[in-house]
Amino acid sequence: MRATGDFVTVKDGEIFFLGRKDSQIKRHGKRLNVELVQQIAEGLPEVESCAVTWYNQEKLILFMVSKKDLVKDCIFKELQKYLPSHAIPDELVLIDSLPLTSHGKIDVSELNKFYFNYINLKSEWKLNGKDELWEKLQHLWKSVLNFSEDPLKVPNESLFLNSGGDSLKSIRLLSEIENLVGTSVPGLLEIILSSSVLEIYNHILQTVFPDEDLTFSKNYATKRKLNDVNQEENNGKSLRQESVMSLNCDSEINAFMALSRGSQIFSLNTTRFLTTLEHCPSAYSSDLISQTNIQNMKSLNPPALIGTSKDPSCIADVPEEETPVMGAEKMEFRVRWRSDTGKCVDASPLVVIPAVDKSSATVYIGSHSHRMMAVDLYSGKVKWEQTLGDRIESSACVSKCGNFVVVGCYNGLVYVLKSNSGEQYWMFTTEDAVKSSATMDPTTGLLYIGSHDQHAYALDIYKKKCVWKLKCGGTVFSSPCLSLIPHHLYFATLGGLLLAINPATGNRVWEYSCGKPLFSSPRCCLQYICIGCVDGNLLCFTHFGEQVWKFSTNEPIFSSPCTSASEQEIFFGSHDCFIYCCSMKGHLQWKFETTSRVYSTPFAFHNHNRSNEMLLAAASTDGKLWILESKSGQLQSVYQLPGEVFSSPVVWESMLIIGCRNNYVYCLDLLSGKQK
């Protein structure tokens, strides 16, 4: 016997062929044998013969020779009876006969050529007017959202995300529409994510039939106006900052540390409490405490409160489904507390630890219930909550003085709240939803944030004004990243642009077009800037805009990169269900397979019980939390939360904080073998 690449089963001394090893693919986060799809399709009475290909590792195409005239929708309905959703083909193509090689096997290369010509021909087909465009848009809408059998028309006001769509499906709808009309439609992805199906239709009309009157009323939402006449003139030019701003705040300046997603740990105003450590330009502070040194700073590490609480009554009972999934792991999770926010928690936590009273550390997080909450880190007791104007996916950012937290909202407002009470201090109005999280500049105290209105903003919260505003050429979904040396601010857009901006003036330094949407947030280190793209590539640039390398995965990357304390490794997740570790030269160090897509950002941290050991916390969308040894990728522990997870974990001491789509924010203790 030799390795032929065939899968077989042996029964009663006979070998039965099951399929080829190279027919195994990963699709929608699950393994699939494409020959299974072929076998099911061949079993349908209407099908004479067929073949299935994985075209460009992007689309599952079913080629079919029919015994009689077929209606494609009927075939799809039949396949749905026998195949799981991840095995349903993207497209069905009718052909006269299957091409064969000289050995009598199906010629896959010829099929791929046929499909290439087919889509090119299809792109040249002219739409017979606006009515046909509307009908086909409705069909694509239903198909992508998996309710193509619904005979009813899609209501004009239907929103894609509210109808069951998500970021990945929006990209598929974009691709299908552009294939239909035969051209790219600028700005379409942003419209899909934020507007009704009627508004999507009208946006396409402007590209496809630019010289005709629109059949339907545009009915676009009235754009919000900036709420301060001094913020900026309507011509979109940025206001220049006359000089580096000095902090202008009458309140007492606090000393604290703040932790946010992606291992962003920084200290502010702590020089009188701490020994100044080596400066690191990739962080957001001039007196940064690096990950490596945090465990050595005994003045910042109170004794761990593992398994205890200041207020035991605040510790909720853990449902039976919230149980650790353990194998030979070295650590174990235990719920310290959980707090009900009322609706899904997609935002990531911000943890602020005061230097004077470290026991009063606070978790700030918002949810889809419109509520912004401040929760005591150790006990889980709610300190305050504030109801904002719409749902919150933006993660909070703390001001330089520590007296305010800043968070974006779906209603287009950026809220500045007093950190000790939640009282509204100032609201800044953009013209569309704000899902981006703010970034604070420790040299000026300015806060930078992006909006779905395609602009980047620099806000002086103390003077309650917008210092500059820049049109970015696409929706800003992700969060900006600040480098102190060189002093650059990085924004990414759903139009595929990575922008380097002068933080003082708002002027572009350079820009790079990645070609595909950027949902991932950029991440700086001393030498490079890295970002994930929906084409499956992690891209690395110098601070001068030169691409250094790219690392390819099998699916889109929505996860933002996270760097190790030494900045020698970079960690990120992919929709291909893997967590990756790359060197700063773009070489794979290890990858770890999870059980679902990885949307959130990993967090690298020291093992609180063994300070010489670096660990990595990551979450997959099916609710599993993974603790890995960061150098090897070896699994240390895994825990199942009772809902989907799009929030990113934050770790302080032995506590992991994360939001969940079951409406709760969780604080979990990481216990070593001795503490179990």
Side-chain angles (χ1 to χ4, degrees):
M1 302 291 284
R2 63 185 179 87
T4 64
D6 296 315
F7 283 121
V8 300
T9 184
V10 179
K11 200 177 289 184
D12 299 328
E14 293 185 297
I15 295 176
F16 294 86
F17 175 74
L18 297 177
R20 291 281 304 162
K21 183 178 180 180
D22 53 17
S23 296
Q24 295 279 321
I25 65 171
K26 196 77 167 284
R27 185 167 183 256
H28 300 330
K30 297 182 180 179
R31 294 197 179 279
L32 172 66
N33 189 332
V34 295
E35 291 185 353
L36 169 66
V37 182
Q38 181 174 323
Q39 290 167 13
I40 295 298
E42 284 177 339
L44 299 179
E46 301 88 352
V47 178
E48 183 175 307
S49 59
C50 66
V52 180
T53 66
W54 184 226
Y55 183 76
N56 285 349
Q57 296 188 334
E58 292 179 348
K59 281 187 168 186
L60 193 65
I61 310 300
L62 174 60
F63 296 90
M64 185 177 297
V65 179
S66 174
K67 297 178 181 177
K68 54 185 178 181
D69 290 338
L70 285 174
V71 178
K72 291 185 180 181
D73 284 349
C74 293
I75 292 296
F76 276 114
K77 285 181 182 178
E78 288 298 308
L79 291 176
Q80 287 171 355
K81 293 179 182 178
Y82 305 104
L83 291 171
S85 60
H86 71 277
I88 302 298
D90 292 300
E91 195 159 359
L92 188 156
V93 180
L94 298 177
I95 56 178
D96 295 328
S97 61
L98 293 175
L100 301 176
T101 66
S102 58
H103 299 286
K105 296 184 177 182
I106 292 173
D107 193 331
V108 175
S109 64
E110 282 299 313
L111 285 176
N112 286 335
K113 287 179 186 176
F114 182 89
Y115 183 70
F116 177 78
N117 294 330
Y118 169 80
I119 57 177
N120 285 340
L121 178 64
K122 193 168 77 167
S123 68
E124 294 173 2
W125 294 345
K126 297 293 183 183
L127 286 165
N128 294 320
K130 296 170 286 185
D131 290 341
E132 185 180 0
L133 172 62
W134 177 245
E135 290 174 5
K136 292 194 173 182
L137 175 61
Q138 295 240 338
H139 173 75
L140 292 177
W141 181 280
K142 292 178 182 180
S143 175
V144 170
L145 294 174
N146 298 320
F147 56 91
S148 55
E149 69 281 356
D150 190 342
L152 299 176
K153 284 190 174 182
V154 179
N156 292 353
E157 66 278 7
S158 297
L159 297 171
F160 188 74
L161 294 178
N162 291 352
S163 302
D166 55 31
S167 302
L168 199 58
K169 289 178 181 176
S170 70
I171 294 168
R172 181 182 165 196
L173 180 60
L174 169 68
S175 175
E176 294 288 355
I177 291 172
E178 292 187 337
N179 282 339
L180 171 67
V181 300
T183 184
S184 62
V185 183
L188 180 57
L189 182 61
E190 292 93 326
I191 298 295
I192 291 172
L193 289 169
S194 62
S195 304
S196 69
V197 66
L198 178 58
E199 292 167 337
I200 295 169
Y201 167 76
N202 281 316
H203 186 82
I204 301 167
L205 274 186
Q206 293 176 63
T207 298
V208 181
F209 302 107
D211 300 325
E212 297 187 32
D213 293 332
L214 301 188
T215 301
F216 297 102
S217 167
K218 283 190 177 182
N219 194 29
Y220 284 113
T222 303
K223 291 294 184 182
R224 304 174 182 91
K225 301 207 178 205
L226 295 175
N227 62 346
D228 188 335
V229 293
N230 293 323
Q231 284 170 353
E232 187 176 358
E233 298 177 2
N234 292 328
N235 60 14
K237 293 180 182 177
S238 63
L239 295 179
R240 289 181 173 269
Q241 188 180 7
E242 294 180 2
S243 61
V244 176
M245 295 174 54
S246 60
L247 191 64
N248 180 17
C249 181
D250 296 331
S251 304
E252 179 185 353
I253 295 178
N254 300 310
F256 62 89
M257 292 186 64
L259 297 81
S260 54
R261 62 179 183 168
S263 307
Q264 296 179 96
I265 301 181
F266 54 94
S267 66
L268 290 168
N269 315 313
T270 52
T271 48
R272 57 193 170 122
F273 296 97
L274 305 168
T275 304
T276 302
L277 299 173
E278 181 179 337
H279 176 69
C280 175
S282 66
Y284 301 162
S285 173
S286 55
D287 60 331
L288 170 85
I289 299 173
S290 70
Q291 280 272 2
T292 307
N293 293 309
I294 281 177
Q295 295 299 323
N296 298 326
M297 298 301 296
K298 295 183 180 179
S299 61
L300 280 175
N301 271 335
L305 302 177
I306 296 173
T308 65
S309 170
K310 295 181 182 178
D311 185 0
S313 64
C314 294
I315 300 179
D317 292 331
V318 183
E320 290 183 1
E321 67 267 31
E322 296 175 31
T323 53
V325 182
M326 299 295 296
E329 294 84 2
K330 302 175 183 177
M331 305 185 75
E332 189 173 293
F333 288 92
R334 179 189 300 165
V335 176
R336 174 182 284 264
W337 53 260
R338 63 175 192 158
S339 186
D340 188 357
T341 72
K343 280 193 177 178
C344 299
V345 187
D346 284 344
S348 300
L350 166 71
V351 180
V352 178
I353 302 105
V356 176
D357 182 13
K358 291 168 279 290
S359 64
S360 64
T362 304
V363 177
Y364 297 95
I365 196 164
S367 85
H368 287 200
S369 68
H370 307 185
R371 281 190 259 169
M372 184 70 195
M373 299 175 65
V375 185
D376 183 273
L377 172 61
Y378 290 99
S379 70
K381 184 175 181 179
V382 177
K383 295 182 175 183
W384 57 257
E385 65 177 48
Q386 177 73 258
T387 301
L388 306 186
D390 207 331
R391 63 179 176 172
I392 306 163
E393 286 186 11
S394 168
S395 301
C397 175
V398 67
S399 64
K400 182 171 182 177
C401 63
N403 294 317
F404 305 102
V405 289
V406 180
V407 67
C409 185
Y410 261 62
N411 64 355
L413 297 181
V414 179
Y415 288 84
V416 181
L417 309 175
K418 292 185 179 179
S419 56
N420 62 349
S421 66
E423 179 186 347
Q424 289 187 18
Y425 172 75
W426 182 47
M427 292 183 298
F428 173 78
T429 308
T430 76
E431 297 180 12
D432 211 332
V434 181
K435 304 179 188 180
S436 171
S437 303
T439 292
M440 191 271 298
D441 189 336
T443 63
T444 63
L446 290 181
L447 285 121
Y448 310 106
I449 197 165
S451 169
H452 269 50
D453 68 5
Q454 303 194 14
H455 286 87
Y457 295 90
L459 305 179
D460 181 346
I461 65 172
Y462 305 110
K463 294 181 179 178
K464 297 185 178 180
K465 74 172 187 178
C466 177
V467 177
W468 55 255
K469 165 186 170 183
L470 176 69
K471 190 168 180 63
C472 295
T475 291
V476 182
F477 172 89
S478 62
S479 305
C481 174
L482 181 71
S483 166
L484 296 182
I485 302 176
H487 200 200
H488 284 176
L489 181 65
Y490 297 99
F491 276 89
T493 76
L494 297 188
L497 282 181
L498 177 63
L499 302 168
I501 299 169
N502 182 328
T505 64
N507 294 331
R508 280 182 173 86
V509 179
W510 56 263
E511 65 179 51
Y512 184 93
S513 177
C514 299
K516 293 287 185 179
L518 300 171
F519 285 88
S520 169
S521 298
R523 182 65 189 267
C524 298
C525 63
L526 187 63
Q527 290 180 293
Y528 302 125
I529 177 83
C530 296
I531 191 167
C533 183
V534 300
D535 64 3
N537 290 315
L538 184 76
L539 305 170
C540 178
F541 302 88
T542 68
H543 287 286
F544 302 101
E546 300 168 342
Q547 185 176 331
V548 183
W549 50 261
K550 71 176 181 180
F551 177 87
S552 298
T553 72
N554 296 320
E555 294 283 349
I557 300 173
F558 287 72
S559 169
S560 302
C562 157
T563 57
S564 62
S566 64
E567 297 193 343
Q568 297 302 305
E569 296 87 25
I570 188 161
F571 310 100
F572 64 98
S574 170
H575 275 45
D576 66 5
C577 304
F578 280 92
I579 299 164
Y580 290 88
C581 173
C582 289
S583 71
M584 275 301 171
K585 294 183 178 179
H587 300 142
L588 178 66
Q589 304 296 99
W590 54 259
K591 65 178 184 176
F592 176 84
E593 186 171 13
T594 69
T595 50
S596 186
R597 296 179 294 176
V598 181
Y599 182 98
S600 64
T601 302
F603 194 101
F605 63 101
H606 279 278
N607 186 340
H608 190 61
N609 302 296
R610 290 195 290 179
S611 60
N612 62 336
E613 182 180 44
M614 283 296 295
L615 301 175
L616 188 75
S620 48
T621 55
D622 59 357
K624 285 196 177 69
L625 301 178
W626 309 87
I627 303 296
L628 309 176
E629 202 281 316
S630 69
K631 287 292 183 184
S632 65
Q634 182 179 355
L635 180 66
Q636 303 293 301
S637 187
V638 58
Y639 186 85
Q640 177 71 63
L641 287 171
E644 288 187 308
V645 171
F646 287 79
S647 173
S648 299
V650 169
V651 179
W652 170 247
E653 296 178 339
S654 60
M655 292 172 286
L656 183 151
I657 307 95
I658 195 167
C660 182
R661 282 199 164 180
N662 73 333
N663 306 348
Y664 285 83
V665 55
Y666 285 83
C667 179
L668 303 164
D669 282 317
L670 290 169
L671 307 178
S672 66
K674 294 180 181 179
Q675 296 165 325
K676 293 177 187 178

